[in-house]
Amino acid sequence: MGGRGRGRGNAVSFNIEQLGFGRGEAGPVSVTQPPPLFPSLENRPLPLIKDVENEYILVTQKDLSTRMRNSPFYLKKSEKINSTSYEKELPVLWNRMPAELRDETFTKRLATGKSKVTLNAKKKKVEDPDKIFAKLEKKERNESEVEEDGDGKEDEDDQDKSDDEKVENEDDVEEDLDEEMDDHTDYANNYFENGEAYLEDEEGQDDGEAQF
Amino acid sequence: MEKLSAKSDHIYLGEAIVKKALAVMIQHNLVKFQASERNNNVAEYTMIHHNVYCLIRYPKYLYMIKRIYGTSEEILLEILLNLGQASASNVIFHSANRLNEANDSEVLSPSALHQSFQRLAQDNFIIRCPKLAENATLLKVPTLEIEEKEKFAVPNVEIEPIARMLKEKATQLGGHCDSEIIWRVNHERFDIELRNVILVNAAARRVDTTAGELYHLILKLWRESSNPDSPVTTPVSYNVIKDAVRKNDSSPILLEHFDHYLRVLYEDSAGLIDRAGDAGGGQFNLDYSKVFENLACASLDSIVLERFGSKALRLFRLTRIQKFMEQDQMQNVAMIPAKEAKMFTYKLLEHNFLQIKELKKGTSNFAPVKSFILYHVELPQVVRTTLEASYKGLFNAMVRQMHDLTENQRLLEKHAMLESMLERLKGDGVPDEEIAELSDTMPPAEKSLVEKIHLMSDNLTLGQTQADETILILESYLKFKSKEL
């Protein structure tokens, strides 16, 4: 904040008085470290309002969360991954759900031939999930499904809202892992690729990207 | 929007759990799906942010319903919240069961519950989910559609099968005639209701409770005549209001002084009622953006007051009302000594309650350039910062509560088991000494710890509820502000 005068360059553009302290007094203390993570509260916050409505809310909230936790909707992680037909256990309206969510062992499915359909180019720098799916699917089960490229856009900004899912204690790990996957690549799976996807790749390239 | 395959790749929990979790979330209106554009056999899933946030407001919904209607409607709504989406018969069945558990005699017959259900639907608190399109069963991703007029139409419900199942003490209602007509909670309507509650409370605080009553009636008139999306309600004339007051069983004070109350409300600077014209004895409407701006400013004022003190509050209000002020002007008009004024100004600036605008005033080319520093309050920005802070506070409270409960889970469970055993024994008529002995198995230190945990958990819940109120006001302000532009 030096002076910017032309000619006699001694004048500075502000008065010392304007800063709020006169000559000779010490300046404000300089800050030498970042502010503390939990700064001390100067004023105590106002007490919480406790009236009839809030009493009721307290009781209902506890009631609701206990009921939710005890309901069959509350999924516990300890269940076996490949448990048999869960359609009967979960009181969900299954006929309104997409077919892929439904339990295969329960519903009859036409076994479609295994096909890999590459629809369009990968727009992100994610390694081709197509091949990974093919391998995973082959490993996990013998039935086959129509496979797609994972070209979804992700849901962002869940920090504010994801905490509310703790009430039902469901996939709160989901969003964190989503973001991780973008950066990590499965080198092992990618390394020995079969040449099948090679030509498919070229057909679906982004328009306008220069090919070098 | 994500595909199921993309999701399962990212989550190491195993595909079955992912499917179940998605199904549960769709059932509870937190996630919606639609067929992907490129391939009709695959669904893309989107999260409905607002509904997830509204999970915290469920107890408030129940309280409002209980106050407006009564216990049976409250139970109906609670069952619907628990099930997510359900058919009318199912809801009625489970509610009857729940009421029978609470009181041992069969108090309410299913037909009475059916009427309560209809009342809820008439006032749009519950809404029908879109139904399966005709060829939906053939598609892998069902299309769901609904027409405008069907949204609140209650189907005929056969009472006898329900009554029969109740007598048999069945736990599940089997197939029933309206099982394809599914209902869910209408979050938008509840939002409107919550906002109205805030406005009515504001009127009651500003004037008195009778004014609150009057305001409540006028709000109902506006709601019936206006488009819910418009930022300004359609005007309602004086005569219509008078009729409504007379028809409704209002208190005698209101009938007598109705004129005065109305006048007080519309002359008040909070903008609760605006006079829009003179036809029909006076036209009155409500400008949501103005009212919520005032409410948001009031919230910000009280936040500044509690955090920085009354002097800072004076500076803040002054700057907000005068739009642009210089530092000297501020300390003169606010009558605060210079050094303190500067300190508070800096503090407010640091916490982003004040913003700075610099104006250069270059007169001659020889003298150093003078610049004016003006302080102002940019309201949308300040509101957004405070909103983020409120979300963070809410989040912190929830995390802390979860942490406390899971850490002491073992202890809390033990205490709960002990309590239930004691209850049972008391009911069986076991002598007092045995009960005392049993309750001594848990040392008083542990008992007081459990007390403390419960107390803290309660306080955190209350804190969350009150943070939610602030969030509602600030969010409404931002919503109506963006609409008016």
Side-chain angles (χ1 to χ4, degrees):
Chain A
M1 264 236 249
R4 276 239 211 136
R6 309 238 187 122
R8 325 268 177 80
N10 276 339
V12 291
S13 64
F14 56 89
N15 281 339
I16 281 290
E17 290 156 11
Q18 270 184 349
L19 285 178
F21 53 91
R23 292 176 166 282
E25 282 179 31
V29 180
S30 57
V31 183
T32 49
Q33 50 183 315
L37 189 56
F38 294 107
S40 55
L41 270 183
E42 290 159 2
N43 303 323
R44 221 194 147 132
L46 288 173
L48 296 166
I49 307 172
K50 289 190 184 153
D51 56 2
V52 177
E53 175 175 354
N54 284 316
E55 293 286 332
Y56 178 88
I57 286 180
L58 269 182
V59 174
T60 344
Q61 177 75 298
K62 277 188 242 179
D63 198 32
L64 273 177
S65 35
T66 348
R67 271 187 209 278
M68 274 297 179
R69 225 165 284 148
N70 296 336
S71 82
F73 287 124
Y74 189 78
L75 305 175
K76 303 182 185 67
K77 284 189 198 166
S78 56
E79 280 181 32
K80 276 191 307 186
I81 304 287
N82 291 325
S83 56
T84 52
S85 91
Y86 54 79
E87 276 199 27
K88 280 194 196 140
E89 298 164 1
L90 270 189
V92 168
L93 299 171
W94 290 105
N95 60 349
R96 297 167 63 91
M97 300 281 161
E100 57 190 1
L101 290 184
R102 304 174 69 165
D103 199 3
E104 290 151 13
T105 58
F106 187 70
T107 52
K108 294 192 197 112
R109 283 274 196 87
L110 294 172
T112 54
K114 178 177 65 166
S115 55
K116 273 185 286 189
V117 179
T118 314
L119 290 174
N120 58 358
K122 306 168 280 299
K123 295 202 171 100
K124 297 192 276 195
K125 292 195 193 106
V126 181
E127 81 294 357
D128 194 353
D130 212 16
K131 298 177 212 112
I132 301 182
F133 289 162
K135 293 196 185 335
L136 282 179
E137 291 301 310
K138 267 189 267 184
K139 277 186 221 158
E140 281 186 14
R141 34 187 167 180
N142 297 326
E143 286 182 58
S144 36
E145 287 184 344
V146 176
E147 289 300 317
E148 308 298 329
D149 254 358
D151 185 27
K153 294 196 185 92
E154 300 204 2
D155 266 325
E156 49 255 78
D157 274 355
D158 269 329
Q159 310 103 311
D160 302 336
K161 321 296 179 191
S162 64
D163 53 21
D164 287 72
E165 288 181 54
K166 284 189 208 273
V167 176
E168 292 188 33
N169 204 12
E170 287 164 307
D171 297 325
D172 19 3
V173 192
E174 194 177 290
E175 295 310 317
D176 290 334
L177 287 178
D178 263 351
E179 270 136 69
E180 270 181 48
M181 207 44 203
D182 269 359
D183 295 324
H184 299 169
T185 50
D186 246 342
Y187 286 117
N189 272 351
N190 239 356
Y191 191 69
F192 297 106
E193 55 182 34
N194 48 4
E196 270 185 322
Y198 179 63
L199 286 173
E200 287 174 30
D201 241 4
E202 283 189 338
E203 281 164 5
Q205 281 293 355
D206 222 356
D207 295 328
E209 264 186 350
Q211 307 288 330
F212 291 115
Chain B
M1 298 244 264
E2 271 201 44
K3 295 203 176 72
L4 177 63
S5 45
K7 276 191 145 62
S8 352
D9 202 32
H10 300 173
I11 297 159
Y12 305 106
L13 291 173
E15 215 168 296
I17 295 247
V18 172
K19 284 191 202 173
K20 282 197 250 192
L22 271 178
V24 171
M25 284 200 279
I26 295 176
Q27 171 81 6
H28 282 268
N29 310 309
L30 303 175
V31 164
K32 63 181 186 221
F33 65 87
Q34 67 188 61
S36 154
E37 288 150 358
R38 297 173 208 111
N39 179 354
N40 280 348
N41 291 335
V42 172
E44 284 185 339
Y45 302 92
T46 330
M47 179 171 282
I48 310 178
H49 296 187
H50 183 66
N51 290 1
V52 178
Y53 180 78
C54 285
L55 282 172
I56 201 181
R57 292 186 181 156
Y58 282 0
K60 281 199 194 152
Y61 292 177
L62 290 172
Y63 183 72
M64 284 195 296
I65 293 289
K66 188 184 183 109
R67 243 188 13 177
I68 300 176
Y69 301 103
T71 328
S72 50
E73 285 84 357
E74 181 201 350
I75 298 283
L76 283 172
L77 192 74
E78 192 179 338
I79 298 284
L80 193 54
L81 287 174
N82 280 339
L83 292 174
Q85 297 173 358
S87 68
S89 310
N90 226 347
V91 174
I92 294 177
F93 173 73
H94 284 290
S95 317
N97 260 342
R98 178 84 72 84
L99 282 168
N100 292 342
E101 271 172 45
N103 330 323
D104 285 320
S105 58
E106 189 158 329
V107 179
L108 281 162
S109 66
S111 46
L113 284 174
H114 181 55
Q115 278 174 2
S116 307
F117 195 88
Q118 272 173 328
R119 246 174 281 156
L120 282 176
Q122 260 166 5
D123 282 336
N124 301 353
F125 282 111
I126 50 183
I127 188 175
R128 264 173 66 167
C129 304
K131 58 178 191 265
L132 292 174
E134 255 123 46
N135 53 348
T137 40
L138 300 174
L139 299 173
K140 289 217 166 174
V141 178
T143 43
L144 303 163
E145 54 197 27
I146 188 158
E147 291 170 37
E148 193 60 44
K149 57 180 161 52
E150 286 182 341
K151 278 192 180 163
F152 301 104
V154 182
N156 289 327
V157 169
E158 275 175 21
I159 303 291
E160 302 92 47
I162 304 181
R164 209 183 341 123
M165 286 294 208
L166 284 174
K167 282 217 178 72
E168 296 169 13
K169 310 270 184 202
T171 45
Q172 296 275 2
L173 190 63
H176 42 276
C177 59
D178 64 325
S179 56
E180 293 303 311
I181 302 179
I182 310 289
W183 296 81
R184 66 174 168 87
V185 166
N186 187 6
H187 291 278
E188 288 89 18
R189 177 72 178 84
F190 274 106
D191 277 351
I192 295 177
E193 193 63 37
L194 279 170
R195 246 177 260 143
N196 288 352
V197 165
I198 290 183
L199 292 175
V200 169
N201 286 344
R205 260 199 311 261
R206 201 106 173 150
V207 188
D208 70 0
T209 39
T210 334
E213 255 185 66
L214 173 63
Y215 197 68
H216 182 66
L217 280 173
I218 302 183
L219 273 175
K220 219 194 306 190
L221 290 172
W222 275 324
R223 201 168 26 89
E224 282 162 13
S225 57
S226 324
N227 181 6
D229 289 328
S230 69
V232 182
T233 59
T234 52
V236 150
S237 72
Y238 173 85
N239 298 328
V240 175
I241 301 178
K242 197 158 188 179
D243 275 339
V245 167
R246 246 184 276 136
K247 254 189 270 176
N248 200 19
D249 286 324
S250 339
S251 60
I253 317 175
L254 181 57
L255 286 168
E256 219 184 293
H257 299 287
F258 154 72
D259 254 349
H260 298 180
Y261 275 118
L262 190 58
R263 201 197 178 100
V264 166
L265 278 174
Y266 81 72
E267 283 184 351
D268 187 42
S269 59
L272 287 165
I273 304 188
D274 285 334
R275 196 183 171 114
D278 290 321
Q283 300 271 21
F284 301 98
N285 69 355
L286 171 62
D287 185 359
Y288 282 112
S289 50
K290 189 164 143 210
V291 152
F292 276 102
E293 183 173 332
N294 287 332
L295 279 172
C297 288
S299 304
L300 289 176
D301 282 349
S302 71
I303 292 175
V304 167
L305 176 63
E306 290 305 321
R307 273 173 78 171
F308 302 112
S310 46
K311 294 208 169 118
L313 175 62
R314 288 231 290 273
L315 289 169
F316 181 69
R317 289 192 68 170
L318 197 61
T319 323
R320 194 185 80 217
I321 294 173
Q322 300 276 49
K323 310 288 178 203
F324 286 95
M325 295 193 81
E326 280 186 338
Q327 177 69 61
D328 295 331
Q329 220 179 341
M330 278 164 80
Q331 69 198 43
N332 286 339
V333 180
M335 292 181 279
I336 295 176
K339 201 158 179 184
E340 280 186 33
K342 289 186 170 68
M343 180 180 72
F344 283 122
T345 316
Y346 179 67
K347 262 203 186 148
L348 287 174
L349 196 63
E350 196 183 17
H351 288 100
N352 291 321
F353 282 100
L354 287 180
Q355 280 79 39
I356 268 191
K357 199 172 177 75
E358 261 194 68
L359 294 176
K360 301 240 181 252
K361 181 189 168 188
T363 45
S364 67
N365 285 334
F366 288 109
V369 176
K370 262 193 179 185
S371 66
F372 286 112
I373 297 185
L374 295 171
Y375 294 93
H376 65 126
V377 173
E378 196 180 311
L379 206 49
Q381 186 175 337
V382 176
V383 165
R384 253 174 257 137
T385 326
T386 328
L387 192 59
E388 285 295 319
S390 315
Y391 282 140
K392 188 99 179 84
L394 179 63
F395 175 70
N396 287 348
M398 295 179 109
V399 168
R400 178 74 210 209
Q401 191 180 35
M402 193 90 298
H403 166 84
D404 276 341
L405 290 178
T406 43
E407 252 199 22
N408 303 303
Q409 197 177 14
R410 204 186 49 87
L411 181 62
L412 288 170
E413 277 174 2
K414 185 169 141 196
H415 177 81
M417 271 197 314
L418 188 65
E419 289 286 307
S420 62
M421 256 199 306
L422 285 175
E423 283 292 318
R424 239 179 322 138
L425 291 179
K426 248 186 225 157
D428 289 340
V430 174
D432 285 334
E433 302 98 39
E434 290 196 26
I435 293 187
E437 215 185 286
L438 195 56
S439 76
D440 280 340
T441 52
M442 193 169 208
E446 282 193 356
K447 279 199 195 142
S448 65
L449 185 58
V450 170
E451 280 293 315
K452 226 170 59 160
I453 295 173
H454 280 157
L455 194 64
M456 194 141 81
S457 172
D458 282 349
N459 280 341
L460 286 170
T461 313
L462 283 179
Q464 289 166 28
T465 318
Q466 284 165 29
D468 180 43
E469 271 193 43
T470 317
I471 287 176
L472 181 63
I473 295 180
L474 298 177
E475 268 183 357
S476 305
Y477 164 70
L478 287 174
K479 171 175 164 193
F480 288 115
K481 180 102 188 159
S482 66
K483 274 214 187 129
E484 101 187 4
L485 296 171

